[in-house]
Every structure is written in structure tokens, then in C-alpha cells.
């Protein structure tokens, strides 16, 4: 997974992302908001463990780098 580093054999959100990250992104995009645990918005993402705000930010960065239209089309 390009977001959390976990092993994956699937393709979600138009990138090599695990199902957990794809589901997390879709749920968060629906209106949930999170704050960064350390208030730096630079928490390390190791094996799927990170604060939710930093995980969401990383997903958006990966999607922007792969295809800017993906943020609009991923539902």
C-alpha cells in the first residue's frame, strides 16, 4: 500500500492501496474530521498506525500525485 506500507494485492482509489486505507478515505471524505495527535501534521505512518488526520492527508497526497482527477471521481 502506498499509504500505510502494508502488503496488498488489490488496487483501490486508482492507486496501489489496501482496502483499509480505501475504506478509511471514503468514510472520512463523507464528512468526518480529525485532528493531528501531535499537532504537527507529520506523524509517521508505519504498518497502518498513524493519527487519522495524517493518514487522511497522506492518502490525498498520494492521490494528487497519481491523478488529480481521482479526488473527484473516487466514491
Amino acid at each position: 500500500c502506498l499509504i500505510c506500507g502494508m502488503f496488498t494485492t488489490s488496487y483501490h482509489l486508482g492507486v496501489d492501496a489496501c482496502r483499509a486505507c480505501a475504506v478509511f478515505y471514503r468514510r472520512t471524505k463523507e464528512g468526518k474530521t480529525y485532528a493531528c495527535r501531535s499537532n504537527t501534521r507529520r506523524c509517521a505512518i508505519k504498518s497502518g498506525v498513524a493519527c487519522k488526520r495524517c493518514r487522511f492527508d497522506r492518502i490525498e497526497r498520494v492521490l494528487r500525485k497519481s491523478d488529480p482527477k481521482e479526488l473527484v471521481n473516487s466514491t
Side-chain angles (χ1 to χ4, degrees), residues 2-51:
L2 294 174
I3 291 99
C4 68
M6 296 293 290
F7 177 76
T8 183
T9 58
S10 40
Y11 192 73
H12 297 281
L13 302 171
V15 296
D16 186 21
C18 66
R19 176 111 174 107
C21 285
V23 170
F24 171 79
Y25 178 70
R26 288 185 180 126
R27 287 181 181 164
T28 304
K29 194 173 69 167
E30 291 173 358
K32 292 184 180 184
T33 56
Y34 299 107
C36 179
R37 288 182 189 171
S38 65
N39 292 323
T40 62
R41 293 182 81 163
R42 295 182 188 177
C43 295
I45 300 172
K46 297 178 183 175
S47 301
V49 179
C51 79

Side-chain angles (χ1 to χ4, degrees), residues 2-3 15-17 56-67:
L2 294 174
I3 291 99
V15 296
D16 186 21
F56 182 74
D57 290 346
R58 178 155 172 100
I59 293 170
E60 287 198 321
R61 276 195 312 273
V62 168
L63 291 177
R64 254 187 258 117
K65 286 180 183 177
S66 68
D67 184 10

